[in-house]
Amino acid sequence: MARRTAIVGIGQTYHCARRDDVNGQELINEAVTRALEDAGLTMKDIDAIVIGNMDHFEAINYVDGWSVDGSGAFMRPIMKLTTGGTSGMTVATAGYYHVASGFFDVVLAIGWEMNSSSDTTAAITTCCQPLIERDFFAGAIGPLAAEYTAYIKRFGATEEDAALVSVRDHNNALNNPHAHLRTRITVEDVMKSPVLCYPIKLLDMCPRSDGACALIYACEGKAEKLAPRPAWVHTIAGSRDFVYMGEPFQHEELITLERASARAYKRAGITDPLKEIDVMELYLPASTTGVKWMESLWVCGRGEAPRLIREGVFNMDGQLPVNPSGGPLATNPIGATAMIRVGEAALQIMGKAGDRQVPNVRTALATAFGSCSWSDVTILRDTKP
Amino acid sequence: MAGTAGETPELIKVHSGAVEVPYDWHCGPYWSRFFRGLRDEKKIYATKCPSCGRVYIPPREVCGPCFARMDEWVEVGPEGVIEMFTVVRLPYTNPSTGEPLSVPYTDVYVRLDGADTSLMHWLDETDEKKIAVGMRVRAVFRDKRTGTMHDIEHFKLI
Amino acid sequence: MPEGKPETIFDVVDKAGMLVQKGRIKVPYTWAAGKVASKFLVGLRDERRIYGIRCPECKTVFVPPKKLCHKCMVEMSEWVELGDEGVLETFTIVHYGEPTVHPVQPPFAYGVVKLERADTGMVHLIGEADLASLEEGQRVRAVFNDIRRGHYLDIKYFKPV
Amino acid sequence: MERAAIVGVGQTRYERSKEGIVAELVYEATCRALDDAGMKIGDIDSVVTVSNDFWDGRTISCMAVADAAGCYGKDASTVECDGAFGAFYGLMRVLSGYDTTLVVAHSKVSEGNPRIITNAAFDPIYERSLGLDAISASALQARAYMKKFGVTEEQCALVSVKNHRNARNNPYAHVPLDISVEDVMKSPKLADPIKVLDASPLSDGACAVIFAVESAAAKRAKKPVWVKGVSHCTDAYRLGERDLTYSIALESAARRAYQMAGITDPWRQIDVAEVYDAFSYMELMWYEGLGFCDRGQGGRLIESGKTGMAGELPVNPSGGVLSAHSVLVAGLARIAEAVLQLRGEAGKRQVAGARTALAQGINGICAQQHCVWIVSTEQ
């Protein structure tokens, strides 16, 4: 059986469009150094390391070996994992299993990306099967735009509903010193911003960032000593049920997120997520997904999300605050983005989220989205599982 | 954070230049049959799961949900309905050439008649006002076909 | 369809009905060197000098330099000006060509050069040499390109002294 | 640590330019492993796939095999390292609550250009522009090692002769050959001192391994093979920062794996070893790092014949990586071969009475990372 395992340290760089003052290893080390400081540890205390990003953004093969100067992996075990947009949570999950399995007591997990190294859309387009789909795929934005057109048609949602999500996440980011985009915006600003792929406009879409995030996982017995209030991992569930972009995974709902969150709730004993979860850090790559995917998280029925959005249920002062950090709409170093969701959820549990802290968080949920519309879900609590 | 190292006023960037990484992608028995159908017969072939009966396009060996090997071939299309679409206006680099790609173009997900999954391709219309989910479309084949996805030139509204 | 539309596949080979599609990935990249590597690269370009950096804890002098010592995981800041001569620690003579990545035609040699005052080896090309008579322990000297752009190849190669 | 076993293995044949797409290779290996374990896909709780975006020519390369690896409806993950590392993650998941985990690696190296792809492992700020790749970098290591200890090219050639001959007994091997030292010495030079017959081939293939916790293994497996120890370790990144003549990372990984397995005298306690001989000199260096002989004695050890099929510790009865190099798969294949040996199902390549086996995976340029496994018939 799994050992009880908790997150005891979180480190992030500041995130921005382009870091010229550091190379990749140095960027990674900034996050590692901060995570170690956060947990009161030094590199000597780290038993193993896991790392991940998306190879074709930087064109560095065997990143695990390359990273040594920044990750601290010299004469230690390091393993690389990558699964596209979900990479950050894939790596965080591996950090958990490294500890839960009993092989290692204290493990460092690193997600990073220097998106400024390439044209992000060109690089992401290579995720499509080259013979079948690559020439027709316009990066991550295409399917997201297409799915919201379908949702609008079915449920009468509006572009303004999505704009409300964009305003919420951007303005939440004002409270997050690490966020990339920190500008107060209005619904009107969003609606007036240039159309990228109808109905997604510039302010509806995540930016691409340079940045890194590091988490430290520790086993029961050590975690309590390292953190006054560790964020205990209760469950991690994922769904990678599809392999081609043309499969019916997200036309009206995000099936993978439905499946992953349902499995996670069952394992964590959650029956009413709207009431039982205190905060969510969601991988929302576009504001439109902040409408539609709420239904896939079972917090409301089909077509009900626009109403809850308009009522402010997911705002900082609402019943279930979503993305106090600003989420991916404010910050998106792709290989780190999903790990930042886990890290921010952990900060909320640990009570260390500063100006973006939601009061009395006991259960937090983080999601990841990527690849062939795959989803991962992590649930953290302030109590041991 | 930066320490005192390297107080240089200039920050260097290293450029890769045009490194072309070539690949010989094997189509395997399933896609070879699929592409031969496009090339030689102007027909679109899909595979059908012996267990659940789903018809998959693009064709493939394994039905994911059933983990069953498929060996029944069925013809689908050439007509279908638009399941999703988007008009791409964001300019980006073509990863196959390293050159800028011209926009707009329309990325369309077509549920071909007889298929349970959709095929991604181009639509010959870039005005979003003239396109709607649920509209019927038909594959337009090229005269000169070589055995690739581009043997279908694009889909057109009907 | 618009002009210049994307086409990944540029050739198809039909082997008795089994198709092979020839394609490529050609995404251009730009990598930030960061402050430490920038100083080294600017040194090559502007001063024709090779700079190393010393770890404050283990005292190792690294060349090419980097911000963090991988052994001590501390930041380094003490720059060490190295000479342009050193000793060839090991080498190989490459007999195959790969024009996409090789800067020169085969046969040519790579070597690991231990510069004076440095503790790490620097991997580079070995030029102006009779390849058949290369030997470990031989002294070599950096030859700089006339046109330099702040790049590792501003050193053209190391040649036997 | 709770006990876990390997209960099923499956491999494709390793060949140049296999016809199928990667999903078809993965499906073949997965189905064979399931058959071998007497399981259906529904008996698998968790899946780890192994792939690399550069070798596959596709970012998020794991997308291509999710259906064929049976990921549907399961928690799954992907490791982008050699399969021996991916297997370690599979083992971790089994010891964390999943009763069974399938690990499957694939490779179609024949579709890409290995020189350009391995060149991308070098630092883009510095050494990448030199055009170094896996062969030329390994040649630097080979010469450094051979010069320091006086290991000869003929001694390296003996590894190639042994392993290619062993491969004749392995139906999965890509390049079984009956060759002499002279043949190796006369083969064309790639990068001095590495010649064509000192280098591994480019092989397409897939391999799958199924892990189970003790309770599930006891219920299902006819002959469970128990994991006794596993560890991996990483050397410095730059070639110029490493001791190219000796792998401290391998020594460290081996020491830890031996400690877990209670091995104090590897030469005596290990009955058969499958090591990652991407180039002939590597097997000699790995003898030393694994403690099969003293530093610098690898050349003498191969000459003694003690690592041959009739020797005291046969190394690479399968023919090793020199006879089939499916990048990323090869480390997992070493584990699969070790399992076949311990079950007594290795056919003509069987080492009689093998009870404890070692398998090794490497990752990165000049084996920057090593992963060492000890498996045993004994619980």
Side-chain angles (χ1 to χ4, degrees):
Chain A
M1 273 314 293
R3 280 205 295 185
R4 294 189 179 103
T5 302
I7 297 170
V8 296
I10 297 113
Q12 289 182 61
T13 61
Y14 70 87
H15 306 285
C16 64
R18 173 181 287 282
R19 286 287 298 271
D20 287 339
D21 60 325
V22 289
N23 62 31
Q25 295 113 320
E26 294 161 1
L27 181 84
I28 287 166
N29 190 257
E30 285 184 14
V32 168
T33 302
R34 289 176 188 185
L36 290 169
E37 281 170 9
D38 189 46
L41 295 171
T42 70
M43 206 63 221
K44 292 186 180 67
D45 302 308
I46 299 296
D47 299 326
I49 300 161
V50 284
I51 192 166
N53 67 307
M54 282 176 68
D55 298 3
H56 287 224
F57 287 136
E58 296 85 4
I60 294 166
N61 200 357
Y62 297 99
V63 152
D64 37 359
W66 162 88
S67 75
V68 164
D69 295 342
S71 63
F74 177 62
M75 293 310 283
R76 289 188 176 81
I78 186 168
M79 191 180 281
K80 160 120 198 257
L81 298 97
T82 184
T83 58
T86 45
S87 290
M89 195 176 289
T90 300
V91 174
T93 302
Y96 164 77
Y97 283 116
H98 271 62
V99 176
S101 61
F103 280 107
F104 305 99
D105 287 351
V106 182
V107 170
L108 175 66
I110 304 164
W112 71 282
E113 210 77 77
M114 283 189 88
N115 278 111
S116 64
S117 304
S118 66
D119 178 331
T120 300
T121 299
I124 193 84
T125 305
T126 68
C127 80
C128 272
Q129 212 297 322
L131 311 186
I132 303 287
E133 296 185 322
R134 186 170 295 173
D135 287 348
F136 314 107
F137 179 71
I141 192 171
L144 297 174
E147 62 157 30
Y148 200 60
T149 55
Y151 185 81
I152 286 175
K153 185 177 165 74
R154 177 156 174 206
F155 293 114
T158 64
E159 291 178 59
E160 284 83 356
D161 294 331
L164 283 168
V165 172
S166 177
V167 168
R168 178 196 73 207
D169 281 8
H170 279 94
N171 292 351
N172 283 355
L174 294 167
N175 296 324
N176 178 2
H178 300 288
H180 172 180
L181 300 178
R182 302 181 68 204
T183 318
R184 187 170 296 284
I185 60 165
T186 64
V187 169
E188 197 183 1
D189 295 332
V190 181
M191 296 302 290
K192 278 185 178 165
S193 64
V195 175
L196 297 177
C197 270
Y198 173 81
I200 293 180
K201 296 166 288 295
L202 183 65
L203 286 175
D204 287 311
M205 193 63 193
C206 56
R208 41 167 243 181
S209 317
D210 286 357
C213 178
L215 304 179
I216 295 172
Y217 287 85
C219 62
E220 185 178 24
K222 288 197 172 170
E224 304 89 327
K225 295 192 182 89
L226 291 169
R229 210 176 136 90
W232 294 96
V233 178
H234 276 247
T235 190
I236 304 166
S239 168
R240 52 163 77 182
D241 289 352
F242 304 101
V243 283
Y244 293 92
M245 293 295 171
E247 288 177 321
F249 41 68
Q250 60 171 18
H251 298 182
E252 281 160 6
E253 56 282 320
L254 184 59
I255 291 176
T256 55
L257 185 58
E258 284 191 355
R259 292 176 183 170
S261 58
R263 207 183 304 155
Y265 295 157
K266 192 175 171 204
R267 290 179 190 164
I270 290 172
T271 52
D272 186 347
L274 186 62
K275 290 206 181 87
E276 293 172 60
I277 295 171
D278 301 314
V279 63
M280 289 185 170
E281 273 288 342
L282 305 181
Y283 195 122
L284 303 177
S287 62
T288 52
T289 64
V291 183
K292 213 190 82 161
W293 295 359
M294 297 315 294
E295 296 162 15
S296 305
L297 282 161
W298 310 98
V299 296
C300 59
R302 295 256 187 276
E304 288 176 16
R307 179 177 58 80
L308 297 188
I309 301 272
R310 288 171 212 152
E311 288 172 2
V313 170
F314 309 120
N315 291 353
M316 275 304 275
D317 56 358
Q319 183 183 358
L320 173 54
V322 168
N323 288 349
S325 69
L329 287 182
T331 307
N332 189 34
I334 300 178
T337 302
M339 186 179 288
I340 295 170
R341 306 279 72 69
V342 180
E344 287 285 340
L347 285 173
Q348 293 287 347
I349 297 275
M350 296 164 92
K352 295 202 292 192
D355 292 342
R356 59 194 186 283
Q357 181 70 48
V358 173
N360 307 318
V361 173
R362 307 207 54 191
T363 301
L365 174 142
T367 68
F369 169 80
S371 314
C372 206
S373 284
W374 294 345
S375 297
D376 286 321
V377 173
T378 297
I379 295 176
L380 306 175
R381 281 187 175 133
D382 67 336
T383 51
K384 291 179 188 177
Chain B
M1 285 299 291
T4 54
E7 298 298 345
T8 171
E10 187 181 350
L11 292 169
I12 298 284
K13 289 179 203 152
V14 179
H15 304 281
S16 69
V19 177
E20 181 174 311
V21 188
Y23 289 93
D24 288 355
W25 282 299
H26 293 78
C27 298
Y30 283 78
W31 290 347
S32 290
R33 164 112 196 232
F34 171 66
F35 288 128
R36 287 199 312 268
L38 298 180
R39 183 188 68 187
D40 302 339
E41 305 174 54
K42 292 208 269 186
K43 284 184 176 166
I44 305 170
Y45 286 107
T47 46
K48 184 173 183 180
C49 176
S51 177
C52 68
R54 281 190 193 89
V55 174
Y56 286 96
I57 186 80
R60 64 199 74 169
E61 184 180 22
V62 188
C63 168
C66 303
F67 201 65
R69 188 172 184 277
M70 296 188 274
D71 49 19
E72 184 185 346
W73 290 81
V74 292
E75 191 189 341
V76 296
E79 289 187 10
V81 297
I82 297 178
E83 193 142 81
M84 303 200 293
F85 72 94
T86 185
V87 180
V88 179
R89 298 185 185 281
L90 167 85
Y92 64 96
T93 306
N94 181 345
S96 302
T97 64
E99 302 295 327
L101 184 76
S102 58
V103 288
Y105 68 90
T106 301
D107 171 20
V108 67
Y109 294 67
V110 179
R111 180 70 66 100
L112 292 164
D113 295 341
D116 290 303
T117 61
S118 359
L119 189 67
M120 208 194 298
H121 216 287
W122 291 319
L123 185 70
D124 71 337
E125 176 58 67
T126 54
D127 181 353
E128 353 352 42
K129 296 187 192 68
K130 294 182 182 163
I131 314 169
V133 170
M135 284 176 118
R136 286 195 67 78
V137 293
R138 166 186 275 274
V140 176
F141 284 85
R142 283 180 205 269
D143 294 334
K144 186 169 176 293
R145 295 179 304 281
T146 58
T148 78
M149 282 303 291
H150 296 290
D151 289 350
I152 297 173
E153 190 166 6
H154 52 75
F155 280 79
K156 66 168 186 178
L157 295 168
I158 47 179
Chain C
M1 281 298 99
E3 290 297 310
K5 60 187 175 296
E7 287 208 17
T8 300
I9 305 305
F10 58 87
D11 198 12
V12 183
V13 179
D14 188 335
K15 294 179 183 169
M18 295 298 286
L19 306 189
V20 177
Q21 300 190 357
K22 290 182 173 294
R24 65 207 147 188
I25 295 179
K26 197 175 174 183
V27 178
Y29 293 90
T30 300
W31 296 282
K35 287 181 186 173
V36 174
S38 289
K39 179 173 167 83
F40 170 79
L41 296 171
V42 167
L44 296 182
R45 184 190 66 192
D46 296 352
E47 304 174 53
R48 296 178 183 233
R49 281 208 181 107
I50 303 172
Y51 285 98
I53 199 163
R54 179 181 280 125
C55 174
E57 288 192 12
C58 70
K59 308 297 178 193
T60 303
V61 174
F62 291 93
V63 66
K66 55 190 189 179
K67 184 174 175 180
L68 291 127
C69 170
H70 63 270
K71 292 178 280 190
C72 309
M73 288 315 284
V74 293
E75 288 188 17
M76 300 186 276
S77 58
E78 186 189 340
W79 288 93
V80 182
E81 195 184 318
L82 303 171
D84 56 4
E85 276 193 29
V87 171
L88 185 62
E89 289 207 310
T90 187
F91 63 93
T92 179
I93 299 157
V94 178
H95 295 273
Y96 56 88
E98 187 55 68
T100 307
V101 293
H102 284 171
V104 288
Q105 301 268 329
F108 65 91
Y110 291 120
V112 179
V113 176
K114 181 77 72 74
L115 292 171
E116 281 166 31
R117 293 197 293 283
D119 294 308
T120 67
M122 191 166 167
V123 184
H124 219 292
L125 297 159
I126 305 299
E128 288 184 54
D130 172 17
L131 297 181
S133 62
L134 280 177
E135 268 190 78
E136 293 91 345
Q138 195 167 9
R139 288 194 70 76
V140 292
R141 177 187 296 153
V143 175
F144 287 83
N145 273 309
D146 292 337
I147 297 166
R148 295 179 304 282
R149 53 200 173 107
H151 193 275
Y152 199 70
L153 285 176
D154 285 353
I155 298 174
K156 195 175 180 183
Y157 44 68
F158 284 81
K159 69 167 187 180
V161 179
Chain D
M1 191 175 103
E2 197 174 358
R3 280 180 290 233
I6 297 169
V7 297
V9 297
Q11 299 180 71
T12 65
R13 255 196 90 200
Y14 302 105
E15 299 168 284
R16 181 88 190 217
S17 295
K18 280 178 99 73
E19 268 179 358
I21 61 170
V22 293
E24 290 155 10
L25 271 52
V26 163
Y27 190 60
E28 183 182 338
T30 301
C31 289
R32 285 185 182 178
L34 288 168
D35 285 349
D36 184 52
M39 288 180 167
K40 301 271 182 226
I41 195 69
D43 298 322
I44 299 293
D45 296 335
S46 150
V47 180
V48 173
T49 65
V50 174
S51 62
N52 172 291
D53 293 0
F54 286 83
W55 288 105
D56 281 3
R58 175 178 189 185
T59 200
I60 328 183
S61 50
C62 56
M63 265 165 67
V65 300
D67 51 0
C71 294
Y72 188 90
K74 297 181 177 56
D75 291 327
S77 192
T78 297
V79 171
E80 192 179 41
C81 293
D82 172 62
F85 298 72
F88 193 7
Y89 189 34
L91 176 66
M92 288 178 202
R93 290 168 77 98
V94 154
L95 292 173
S96 305
Y98 296 105
D99 280 356
T100 54
T101 295
L102 168 83
V103 180
V104 57
H106 69 262
S107 179
K108 288 216 73 183
V109 286
S110 63
E111 294 189 349
N113 178 320
R115 292 163 187 169
I116 303 174
I117 289 168
T118 56
N119 175 251
F122 289 89
D123 189 347
I125 312 294
Y126 292 144
E127 294 94 341
R128 188 182 297 186
S129 58
L130 300 172
L132 284 158
D133 62 15
I135 298 173
S136 50
S138 297
L140 289 170
Q141 182 176 42
R143 182 183 288 276
Y145 164 67
M146 292 160 67
K147 176 79 181 175
K148 174 156 181 179
F149 296 113
V151 172
T152 64
E153 291 190 47
E154 287 81 0
Q155 288 172 328
C156 295
L158 281 170
V159 174
S160 178
V161 170
K162 167 179 75 78
N163 290 353
H164 283 299
R165 282 190 185 158
N166 286 353
R168 293 177 306 166
N169 297 324
N170 179 1
Y172 299 111
H174 176 186
V175 192
L177 289 174
D178 191 4
I179 50 169
S180 64
V181 168
E182 196 184 3
D183 294 330
V184 180
M185 295 299 290
K186 277 187 182 163
S187 63
K189 287 178 180 175
L190 290 172
D192 213 38
I194 293 176
K195 298 167 290 297
V196 167
L197 286 172
D198 289 309
S200 50
L202 293 170
S203 319
D204 295 348
C207 177
V209 168
I210 298 171
F211 290 91
V213 283
E214 188 173 2
S215 52
K219 202 161 48 189
R220 300 198 173 277
K222 37 189 198 307
K223 291 179 192 168
V225 167
W226 301 94
V227 179
K228 305 294 279 188
V230 53
S231 181
H232 62 122
C233 190
T234 315
D235 205 340
Y237 175 51
R238 294 216 157 76
L239 298 183
E241 295 171 354
R242 294 191 218 166
D243 178 356
L244 288 175
T245 69
Y246 183 75
S247 177
I248 49 172
L250 176 58
E251 182 193 294
S252 169
R255 195 192 304 126
R256 173 98 180 103
Y258 293 162
Q259 191 184 20
M260 291 166 84
I263 287 179
T264 50
D265 181 351
W267 181 260
R268 206 173 45 79
Q269 289 173 270
I270 295 167
D271 301 316
V272 56
E274 283 282 339
V275 305
Y276 205 121
D277 52 331
F279 298 96
S280 58
Y281 78 92
M282 283 188 172
E283 183 165 314
L284 305 182
M285 283 189 73
W286 305 164
Y287 290 165
E288 300 170 23
L290 290 167
F292 293 174
C293 62
D294 289 337
R295 270 177 91 153
Q297 299 301 308
R300 296 227 176 94
L301 182 54
I302 184 79
E303 273 180 348
S304 74
K306 288 177 184 170
T307 55
M309 276 310 279
E312 292 167 36
L313 200 177
V315 175
N316 287 335
S318 68
V321 178
L322 279 172
S323 305
H325 193 183
S326 231
V327 179
L328 290 111
V329 177
L332 197 59
R334 305 277 70 69
I335 296 172
E337 284 291 330
V339 168
L340 293 177
Q341 289 288 348
L342 297 186
R343 295 204 311 216
E345 295 173 4
K348 287 197 283 183
R349 61 194 185 285
Q350 181 68 47
V351 174
R355 298 172 68 84
T356 298
L358 177 145
Q360 177 209 13
I362 64 172
N363 202 53
I365 294 297
C366 293
Q368 187 187 354
Q369 296 162 268
H370 291 262
C371 187
V372 176
W373 286 73
I374 303 293
V375 288
S376 171
T377 53
E378 288 155 33
Q379 205 166 349

